[in-house]
Amino acid sequence: MKQFIVIGLGRFGSSVAKTLTDNGHDVLAIDLNHQIIQDISNDVTHAVEADATDEEALKTLGVRNFDVAIVSIGDNIHANILSTLILKELGVPYVIVKAQDALHGKVLTKVGADRVVYPERDMGERIAHNLISSNVLDYLEFAPDYSVVEILASQNMIGKSLGELEFRSRFDVNVMAIKRGQHLNMTPGASDKILEDDTLIVMGKNENLDKVRDF
Ligand code: ATP
């Protein structure tokens, strides 16, 4: 279970915060607006009314103990950039920020954002792709018990072939690809051996994927 902070609970931020909580993660939701905090308080782990440009306030909330922060303050670009800077300076390892446009994104990268997202642009592209091809990931959205995940090869896997490991019969999951450095084997077969530092891309029921992680 990871610990997330979501700052700015507009449509994007509140949807990120609720989805993370629904998937069993710890979520601290922060917004300036009292009513918004009241409304979301039953849907996330903690909801706090605070100004994300106030360094002392973020320090008091212990943001440095969280793994990931998502900054989704929209219209106030100044607040969006400043809170990103503060979160990085306070030591949050991974900060994802919603940007308005490419120039804004560039500034966010300069102040330390680890990932910049453009939800409207990305969603537009996704819908367009969707219209011209079917996408397995969209099916997964409607099957919340199933996921595609990356799993680092464990000691029990290293040196064995997929045939020997029998993932399908043992765990009822499918190894879709094997990542080795920069190379991606997208058609793995029974004779393909798993080496140290390989990452397997595996699809299956969440409970079965947990078993593969523990194997
Ligand atoms: P969306 O498109 O996701 O609905 P938006 O891009 O229109 O949202 P805004 O509504 O401008 O974004 O901001 C999202 C939220 O961020 C608002 O609920 C606002 O109260 C909150 N917010 C703005 N500034 C701050 C701040 N300094 N600290 C905490 N929250 C803030």
Side-chain angles (χ1 to χ4, degrees), residues 7-14 30-33 36 50-54 72-76 79-80 83 98 100 120:
I7 293 177
L9 304 165
R11 287 160 300 181
F12 178 74
S14 56
I30 298 174
D31 199 290
L32 269 181
N33 185 304
I36 286 177
D51 181 351
T53 61
D54 178 348
S72 45
I73 298 171
D75 296 343
N76 188 342
N80 167 300
S83 65
K98 175 174 116 160
Q100 302 277 21
E120 286 87 0

PDB file of all heavy atoms in Angstrom, residues 7-14 30-33 36 50-54 72-76 79-80 83 98 100 120, ligand 1:
ATOM      1  N   ILE A   7      -3.489  17.259  -3.940  1.00  0.00           N
ATOM      2  CA  ILE A   7      -3.685  18.674  -3.633  1.00  0.00           C
ATOM      3  C   ILE A   7      -4.534  19.336  -4.707  1.00  0.00           C
ATOM      4  O   ILE A   7      -4.180  19.281  -5.897  1.00  0.00           O
ATOM      5  CB  ILE A   7      -2.319  19.379  -3.525  1.00  0.00           C
ATOM      6  CG1 ILE A   7      -1.570  18.830  -2.299  1.00  0.00           C
ATOM      7  CG2 ILE A   7      -2.502  20.891  -3.426  1.00  0.00           C
ATOM      8  CD1 ILE A   7      -0.193  19.387  -2.137  1.00  0.00           C
ATOM      9  N   GLY A   8      -5.643  19.937  -4.298  1.00  0.00           N
ATOM     10  CA  GLY A   8      -6.548  20.584  -5.259  1.00  0.00           C
ATOM     11  C   GLY A   8      -7.580  19.574  -5.704  1.00  0.00           C
ATOM     12  O   GLY A   8      -7.284  18.685  -6.499  1.00  0.00           O
ATOM     13  N   LEU A   9      -8.804  19.726  -5.155  1.00  0.00           N
ATOM     14  CA  LEU A   9      -9.802  18.676  -5.405  1.00  0.00           C
ATOM     15  C   LEU A   9     -10.898  19.148  -6.349  1.00  0.00           C
ATOM     16  O   LEU A   9     -12.079  19.121  -6.030  1.00  0.00           O
ATOM     17  CB  LEU A   9     -10.371  18.198  -4.065  1.00  0.00           C
ATOM     18  CG  LEU A   9      -9.264  17.720  -3.105  1.00  0.00           C
ATOM     19  CD1 LEU A   9      -9.790  17.606  -1.696  1.00  0.00           C
ATOM     20  CD2 LEU A   9      -8.680  16.408  -3.574  1.00  0.00           C
ATOM     21  N   GLY A  10     -10.466  19.590  -7.514  1.00  0.00           N
ATOM     22  CA  GLY A  10     -11.428  19.865  -8.590  1.00  0.00           C
ATOM     23  C   GLY A  10     -11.902  18.522  -9.129  1.00  0.00           C
ATOM     24  O   GLY A  10     -11.772  17.487  -8.461  1.00  0.00           O
ATOM     25  N   ARG A  11     -12.407  18.500 -10.356  1.00  0.00           N
ATOM     26  CA  ARG A  11     -12.902  17.229 -10.916  1.00  0.00           C
ATOM     27  C   ARG A  11     -11.770  16.220 -11.054  1.00  0.00           C
ATOM     28  O   ARG A  11     -11.898  15.055 -10.702  1.00  0.00           O
ATOM     29  CB  ARG A  11     -13.539  17.480 -12.294  1.00  0.00           C
ATOM     30  CG  ARG A  11     -14.866  18.182 -12.202  1.00  0.00           C
ATOM     31  CD  ARG A  11     -15.234  18.820 -13.489  1.00  0.00           C
ATOM     32  NE  ARG A  11     -14.242  19.805 -13.892  1.00  0.00           N
ATOM     33  CZ  ARG A  11     -14.303  20.548 -14.977  1.00  0.00           C
ATOM     34  NH1 ARG A  11     -15.311  20.401 -15.802  1.00  0.00           N
ATOM     35  NH2 ARG A  11     -13.364  21.428 -15.257  1.00  0.00           N
ATOM     36  N   PHE A  12     -10.599  16.684 -11.531  1.00  0.00           N
ATOM     37  CA  PHE A  12      -9.468  15.774 -11.744  1.00  0.00           C
ATOM     38  C   PHE A  12      -8.922  15.264 -10.407  1.00  0.00           C
ATOM     39  O   PHE A  12      -8.823  14.057 -10.187  1.00  0.00           O
ATOM     40  CB  PHE A  12      -8.375  16.505 -12.533  1.00  0.00           C
ATOM     41  CG  PHE A  12      -7.141  15.686 -12.773  1.00  0.00           C
ATOM     42  CD1 PHE A  12      -7.139  14.659 -13.699  1.00  0.00           C
ATOM     43  CD2 PHE A  12      -5.974  15.936 -12.058  1.00  0.00           C
ATOM     44  CE1 PHE A  12      -5.997  13.890 -13.911  1.00  0.00           C
ATOM     45  CE2 PHE A  12      -4.834  15.180 -12.271  1.00  0.00           C
ATOM     46  CZ  PHE A  12      -4.848  14.158 -13.198  1.00  0.00           C
ATOM     47  N   GLY A  13      -8.600  16.207  -9.504  1.00  0.00           N
ATOM     48  CA  GLY A  13      -7.997  15.821  -8.221  1.00  0.00           C
ATOM     49  C   GLY A  13      -8.904  14.915  -7.403  1.00  0.00           C
ATOM     50  O   GLY A  13      -8.448  13.913  -6.843  1.00  0.00           O
ATOM     51  N   SER A  14     -10.204  15.234  -7.358  1.00  0.00           N
ATOM     52  CA  SER A  14     -11.082  14.406  -6.525  1.00  0.00           C
ATOM     53  C   SER A  14     -11.253  13.026  -7.149  1.00  0.00           C
ATOM     54  O   SER A  14     -11.328  12.026  -6.431  1.00  0.00           O
ATOM     55  CB  SER A  14     -12.430  15.079  -6.286  1.00  0.00           C
ATOM     56  OG  SER A  14     -13.032  15.385  -7.496  1.00  0.00           O
ATOM     57  N   ILE A  30      -5.957  17.474   0.148  1.00  0.00           N
ATOM     58  CA  ILE A  30      -5.798  18.844   0.650  1.00  0.00           C
ATOM     59  C   ILE A  30      -6.457  19.827  -0.312  1.00  0.00           C
ATOM     60  O   ILE A  30      -6.258  19.738  -1.528  1.00  0.00           O
ATOM     61  CB  ILE A  30      -4.285  19.196   0.767  1.00  0.00           C
ATOM     62  CG1 ILE A  30      -3.602  18.254   1.765  1.00  0.00           C
ATOM     63  CG2 ILE A  30      -4.097  20.658   1.179  1.00  0.00           C
ATOM     64  CD1 ILE A  30      -2.088  18.437   1.840  1.00  0.00           C
ATOM     65  N   ASP A  31      -7.229  20.765   0.252  1.00  0.00           N
ATOM     66  CA  ASP A  31      -7.809  21.832  -0.577  1.00  0.00           C
ATOM     67  C   ASP A  31      -8.047  23.045   0.325  1.00  0.00           C
ATOM     68  O   ASP A  31      -8.242  22.917   1.531  1.00  0.00           O
ATOM     69  CB  ASP A  31      -9.135  21.376  -1.214  1.00  0.00           C
ATOM     70  CG  ASP A  31      -9.531  22.227  -2.413  1.00  0.00           C
ATOM     71  OD1 ASP A  31      -9.898  23.413  -2.217  1.00  0.00           O
ATOM     72  OD2 ASP A  31      -9.445  21.729  -3.552  1.00  0.00           O
ATOM     73  N   LEU A  32      -8.022  24.193  -0.304  1.00  0.00           N
ATOM     74  CA  LEU A  32      -8.286  25.454   0.400  1.00  0.00           C
ATOM     75  C   LEU A  32      -9.741  25.592   0.801  1.00  0.00           C
ATOM     76  O   LEU A  32     -10.066  26.287   1.748  1.00  0.00           O
ATOM     77  CB  LEU A  32      -8.029  26.621  -0.576  1.00  0.00           C
ATOM     78  CG  LEU A  32      -6.692  27.283  -0.678  1.00  0.00           C
ATOM     79  CD1 LEU A  32      -6.791  28.406  -1.698  1.00  0.00           C
ATOM     80  CD2 LEU A  32      -6.297  27.856   0.676  1.00  0.00           C
ATOM     81  N   ASN A  33     -10.601  24.974   0.023  1.00  0.00           N
ATOM     82  CA  ASN A  33     -12.033  25.212   0.128  1.00  0.00           C
ATOM     83  C   ASN A  33     -12.687  24.302   1.185  1.00  0.00           C
ATOM     84  O   ASN A  33     -12.641  23.074   1.091  1.00  0.00           O
ATOM     85  CB  ASN A  33     -12.642  24.964  -1.265  1.00  0.00           C
ATOM     86  CG  ASN A  33     -14.095  25.297  -1.322  1.00  0.00           C
ATOM     87  OD1 ASN A  33     -14.886  24.773  -0.548  1.00  0.00           O
ATOM     88  ND2 ASN A  33     -14.442  26.178  -2.243  1.00  0.00           N
ATOM     89  N   ILE A  36     -15.455  21.829  -0.055  1.00  0.00           N
ATOM     90  CA  ILE A  36     -14.905  20.710  -0.840  1.00  0.00           C
ATOM     91  C   ILE A  36     -14.317  19.647   0.093  1.00  0.00           C
ATOM     92  O   ILE A  36     -14.507  18.438  -0.101  1.00  0.00           O
ATOM     93  CB  ILE A  36     -13.862  21.243  -1.852  1.00  0.00           C
ATOM     94  CG1 ILE A  36     -14.593  21.962  -2.984  1.00  0.00           C
ATOM     95  CG2 ILE A  36     -12.973  20.135  -2.393  1.00  0.00           C
ATOM     96  CD1 ILE A  36     -13.719  22.595  -4.024  1.00  0.00           C
ATOM     97  N   ALA A  50      -6.290  23.223   3.804  1.00  0.00           N
ATOM     98  CA  ALA A  50      -5.000  23.906   3.968  1.00  0.00           C
ATOM     99  C   ALA A  50      -4.605  24.557   2.659  1.00  0.00           C
ATOM    100  O   ALA A  50      -5.091  24.180   1.582  1.00  0.00           O
ATOM    101  CB  ALA A  50      -3.927  22.905   4.391  1.00  0.00           C
ATOM    102  N   ASP A  51      -3.706  25.545   2.779  1.00  0.00           N
ATOM    103  CA  ASP A  51      -3.165  26.215   1.594  1.00  0.00           C
ATOM    104  C   ASP A  51      -1.857  25.521   1.209  1.00  0.00           C
ATOM    105  O   ASP A  51      -0.901  25.528   1.973  1.00  0.00           O
ATOM    106  CB  ASP A  51      -2.914  27.695   1.934  1.00  0.00           C
ATOM    107  CG  ASP A  51      -2.384  28.474   0.749  1.00  0.00           C
ATOM    108  OD1 ASP A  51      -2.045  27.858  -0.282  1.00  0.00           O
ATOM    109  OD2 ASP A  51      -2.313  29.715   0.854  1.00  0.00           O
ATOM    110  N   ALA A  52      -1.839  24.941   0.024  1.00  0.00           N
ATOM    111  CA  ALA A  52      -0.675  24.163  -0.398  1.00  0.00           C
ATOM    112  C   ALA A  52       0.518  25.039  -0.760  1.00  0.00           C
ATOM    113  O   ALA A  52       1.583  24.523  -1.103  1.00  0.00           O
ATOM    114  CB  ALA A  52      -1.048  23.265  -1.573  1.00  0.00           C
ATOM    115  N   THR A  53       0.354  26.370  -0.702  1.00  0.00           N
ATOM    116  CA  THR A  53       1.515  27.234  -0.933  1.00  0.00           C
ATOM    117  C   THR A  53       2.132  27.656   0.409  1.00  0.00           C
ATOM    118  O   THR A  53       3.055  28.459   0.439  1.00  0.00           O
ATOM    119  CB  THR A  53       1.126  28.503  -1.726  1.00  0.00           C
ATOM    120  OG1 THR A  53       0.173  29.238  -0.960  1.00  0.00           O
ATOM    121  CG2 THR A  53       0.538  28.145  -3.062  1.00  0.00           C
ATOM    122  N   ASP A  54       1.589  27.128   1.492  1.00  0.00           N
ATOM    123  CA  ASP A  54       2.081  27.458   2.822  1.00  0.00           C
ATOM    124  C   ASP A  54       3.026  26.339   3.284  1.00  0.00           C
ATOM    125  O   ASP A  54       2.581  25.257   3.681  1.00  0.00           O
ATOM    126  CB  ASP A  54       0.865  27.601   3.757  1.00  0.00           C
ATOM    127  CG  ASP A  54       1.259  27.907   5.182  1.00  0.00           C
ATOM    128  OD1 ASP A  54       2.453  27.788   5.513  1.00  0.00           O
ATOM    129  OD2 ASP A  54       0.364  28.255   5.967  1.00  0.00           O
ATOM    130  N   SER A  72      -3.085  19.009  -8.330  1.00  0.00           N
ATOM    131  CA  SER A  72      -4.072  19.243  -9.395  1.00  0.00           C
ATOM    132  C   SER A  72      -4.806  20.557  -9.192  1.00  0.00           C
ATOM    133  O   SER A  72      -6.001  20.646  -9.460  1.00  0.00           O
ATOM    134  CB  SER A  72      -5.020  18.059  -9.509  1.00  0.00           C
ATOM    135  OG  SER A  72      -5.450  17.657  -8.259  1.00  0.00           O
ATOM    136  N   ILE A  73      -4.058  21.549  -8.717  1.00  0.00           N
ATOM    137  CA  ILE A  73      -4.596  22.915  -8.686  1.00  0.00           C
ATOM    138  C   ILE A  73      -4.595  23.374 -10.136  1.00  0.00           C
ATOM    139  O   ILE A  73      -3.570  23.224 -10.823  1.00  0.00           O
ATOM    140  CB  ILE A  73      -3.686  23.848  -7.846  1.00  0.00           C
ATOM    141  CG1 ILE A  73      -3.625  23.368  -6.394  1.00  0.00           C
ATOM    142  CG2 ILE A  73      -4.162  25.289  -7.940  1.00  0.00           C
ATOM    143  CD1 ILE A  73      -2.591  24.087  -5.554  1.00  0.00           C
ATOM    144  N   GLY A  74      -5.728  23.914 -10.599  1.00  0.00           N
ATOM    145  CA  GLY A  74      -5.836  24.220 -12.022  1.00  0.00           C
ATOM    146  C   GLY A  74      -5.560  25.669 -12.381  1.00  0.00           C
ATOM    147  O   GLY A  74      -4.460  26.014 -12.816  1.00  0.00           O
ATOM    148  N   ASP A  75      -6.551  26.520 -12.141  1.00  0.00           N
ATOM    149  CA  ASP A  75      -6.485  27.893 -12.653  1.00  0.00           C
ATOM    150  C   ASP A  75      -5.348  28.719 -12.064  1.00  0.00           C
ATOM    151  O   ASP A  75      -4.754  29.541 -12.762  1.00  0.00           O
ATOM    152  CB  ASP A  75      -7.814  28.619 -12.361  1.00  0.00           C
ATOM    153  CG  ASP A  75      -8.960  27.961 -13.113  1.00  0.00           C
ATOM    154  OD1 ASP A  75      -8.653  27.213 -14.062  1.00  0.00           O
ATOM    155  OD2 ASP A  75     -10.130  28.180 -12.737  1.00  0.00           O
ATOM    156  N   ASN A  76      -5.039  28.502 -10.798  1.00  0.00           N
ATOM    157  CA  ASN A  76      -4.011  29.304 -10.151  1.00  0.00           C
ATOM    158  C   ASN A  76      -2.619  28.715 -10.416  1.00  0.00           C
ATOM    159  O   ASN A  76      -2.096  27.905  -9.647  1.00  0.00           O
ATOM    160  CB  ASN A  76      -4.315  29.376  -8.648  1.00  0.00           C
ATOM    161  CG  ASN A  76      -3.411  30.356  -7.950  1.00  0.00           C
ATOM    162  OD1 ASN A  76      -2.358  30.730  -8.481  1.00  0.00           O
ATOM    163  ND2 ASN A  76      -3.799  30.760  -6.762  1.00  0.00           N
ATOM    164  N   ALA A  79       0.028  29.114  -7.683  1.00  0.00           N
ATOM    165  CA  ALA A  79      -0.103  28.181  -6.552  1.00  0.00           C
ATOM    166  C   ALA A  79       0.332  26.775  -6.965  1.00  0.00           C
ATOM    167  O   ALA A  79       0.974  26.052  -6.191  1.00  0.00           O
ATOM    168  CB  ALA A  79      -1.549  28.169  -6.062  1.00  0.00           C
ATOM    169  N   ASN A  80       0.015  26.402  -8.177  1.00  0.00           N
ATOM    170  CA  ASN A  80       0.369  25.086  -8.700  1.00  0.00           C
ATOM    171  C   ASN A  80       1.904  24.913  -8.727  1.00  0.00           C
ATOM    172  O   ASN A  80       2.439  23.911  -8.247  1.00  0.00           O
ATOM    173  CB  ASN A  80      -0.275  24.980 -10.100  1.00  0.00           C
ATOM    174  CG  ASN A  80       0.198  23.837 -10.956  1.00  0.00           C
ATOM    175  OD1 ASN A  80       1.367  23.748 -11.266  1.00  0.00           O
ATOM    176  ND2 ASN A  80      -0.720  22.961 -11.346  1.00  0.00           N
ATOM    177  N   SER A  83       3.455  25.139  -4.958  1.00  0.00           N
ATOM    178  CA  SER A  83       3.278  23.948  -4.115  1.00  0.00           C
ATOM    179  C   SER A  83       4.138  22.792  -4.632  1.00  0.00           C
ATOM    180  O   SER A  83       4.661  22.007  -3.840  1.00  0.00           O
ATOM    181  CB  SER A  83       1.812  23.555  -3.991  1.00  0.00           C
ATOM    182  OG  SER A  83       1.322  23.178  -5.214  1.00  0.00           O
ATOM    183  N   LYS A  98      -0.485  18.477 -12.610  1.00  0.00           N
ATOM    184  CA  LYS A  98      -1.348  18.761 -13.766  1.00  0.00           C
ATOM    185  C   LYS A  98      -0.963  20.123 -14.334  1.00  0.00           C
ATOM    186  O   LYS A  98      -0.907  21.111 -13.605  1.00  0.00           O
ATOM    187  CB  LYS A  98      -2.794  18.772 -13.277  1.00  0.00           C
ATOM    188  CG  LYS A  98      -3.799  19.177 -14.318  1.00  0.00           C
ATOM    189  CD  LYS A  98      -5.197  19.024 -13.781  1.00  0.00           C
ATOM    190  CE  LYS A  98      -5.867  20.363 -13.717  1.00  0.00           C
ATOM    191  NZ  LYS A  98      -7.323  20.269 -13.650  1.00  0.00           N
ATOM    192  N   GLN A 100      -1.321  23.193 -17.496  1.00  0.00           N
ATOM    193  CA  GLN A 100      -2.288  23.788 -18.431  1.00  0.00           C
ATOM    194  C   GLN A 100      -1.829  23.667 -19.873  1.00  0.00           C
ATOM    195  O   GLN A 100      -2.615  23.468 -20.772  1.00  0.00           O
ATOM    196  CB  GLN A 100      -2.468  25.279 -18.127  1.00  0.00           C
ATOM    197  CG  GLN A 100      -2.933  25.581 -16.730  1.00  0.00           C
ATOM    198  CD  GLN A 100      -4.437  25.445 -16.609  1.00  0.00           C
ATOM    199  OE1 GLN A 100      -5.048  24.780 -17.430  1.00  0.00           O
ATOM    200  NE2 GLN A 100      -5.019  26.034 -15.603  1.00  0.00           N
ATOM    201  N   GLU A 120      -6.589  16.986 -20.149  1.00  0.00           N
ATOM    202  CA  GLU A 120      -7.515  17.217 -21.270  1.00  0.00           C
ATOM    203  C   GLU A 120      -6.896  16.725 -22.579  1.00  0.00           C
ATOM    204  O   GLU A 120      -7.527  16.014 -23.352  1.00  0.00           O
ATOM    205  CB  GLU A 120      -7.883  18.703 -21.400  1.00  0.00           C
ATOM    206  CG  GLU A 120      -8.835  19.200 -20.343  1.00  0.00           C
ATOM    207  CD  GLU A 120      -8.118  19.672 -19.082  1.00  0.00           C
ATOM    208  OE1 GLU A 120      -6.863  19.598 -19.041  1.00  0.00           O
ATOM    209  OE2 GLU A 120      -8.812  20.098 -18.140  1.00  0.00           O
TER     210      GLU A 120
HETATM  211  P1  ATP B   1     -10.786  20.470 -12.679  1.00  0.00           P
HETATM  212  O1  ATP B   1     -10.661  20.777 -14.144  1.00  0.00           O
HETATM  213  O2  ATP B   1      -9.985  19.300 -12.236  1.00  0.00           O
HETATM  214  O3  ATP B   1     -12.185  20.447 -12.145  1.00  0.00           O
HETATM  215  P2  ATP B   1      -9.531  23.015 -12.390  1.00  0.00           P
HETATM  216  O4  ATP B   1      -8.414  22.717 -13.322  1.00  0.00           O
HETATM  217  O5  ATP B   1     -10.630  23.943 -12.830  1.00  0.00           O
HETATM  218  O6  ATP B   1     -10.140  21.681 -11.869  1.00  0.00           O
HETATM  219  P3  ATP B   1      -9.365  24.552 -10.040  1.00  0.00           P
HETATM  220  O7  ATP B   1     -10.830  24.406  -9.772  1.00  0.00           O
HETATM  221  O8  ATP B   1      -8.813  25.865 -10.401  1.00  0.00           O
HETATM  222  O9  ATP B   1      -8.879  23.495 -11.071  1.00  0.00           O
HETATM  223  O10 ATP B   1      -8.550  24.023  -8.767  1.00  0.00           O
HETATM  224  C1  ATP B   1      -8.788  22.763  -8.233  1.00  0.00           C
HETATM  225  C2  ATP B   1      -8.893  22.888  -6.718  1.00  0.00           C
HETATM  226  O11 ATP B   1      -7.667  23.403  -6.192  1.00  0.00           O
HETATM  227  C3  ATP B   1      -9.998  23.804  -6.206  1.00  0.00           C
HETATM  228  O12 ATP B   1     -10.896  23.036  -5.427  1.00  0.00           O
HETATM  229  C4  ATP B   1      -9.270  24.847  -5.369  1.00  0.00           C
HETATM  230  O13 ATP B   1      -9.982  25.138  -4.175  1.00  0.00           O
HETATM  231  C5  ATP B   1      -7.959  24.146  -5.047  1.00  0.00           C
HETATM  232  N1  ATP B   1      -6.867  25.087  -4.764  1.00  0.00           N
HETATM  233  C6  ATP B   1      -6.535  26.195  -5.447  1.00  0.00           C
HETATM  234  N2  ATP B   1      -5.473  26.804  -4.885  1.00  0.00           N
HETATM  235  C7  ATP B   1      -5.119  26.035  -3.816  1.00  0.00           C
HETATM  236  C8  ATP B   1      -4.091  26.122  -2.819  1.00  0.00           C
HETATM  237  N3  ATP B   1      -3.227  27.124  -2.798  1.00  0.00           N
HETATM  238  N4  ATP B   1      -4.029  25.145  -1.879  1.00  0.00           N
HETATM  239  C9  ATP B   1      -4.927  24.130  -1.873  1.00  0.00           C
HETATM  240  N5  ATP B   1      -5.902  23.998  -2.788  1.00  0.00           N
HETATM  241  C10 ATP B   1      -6.014  24.936  -3.744  1.00  0.00           C
END
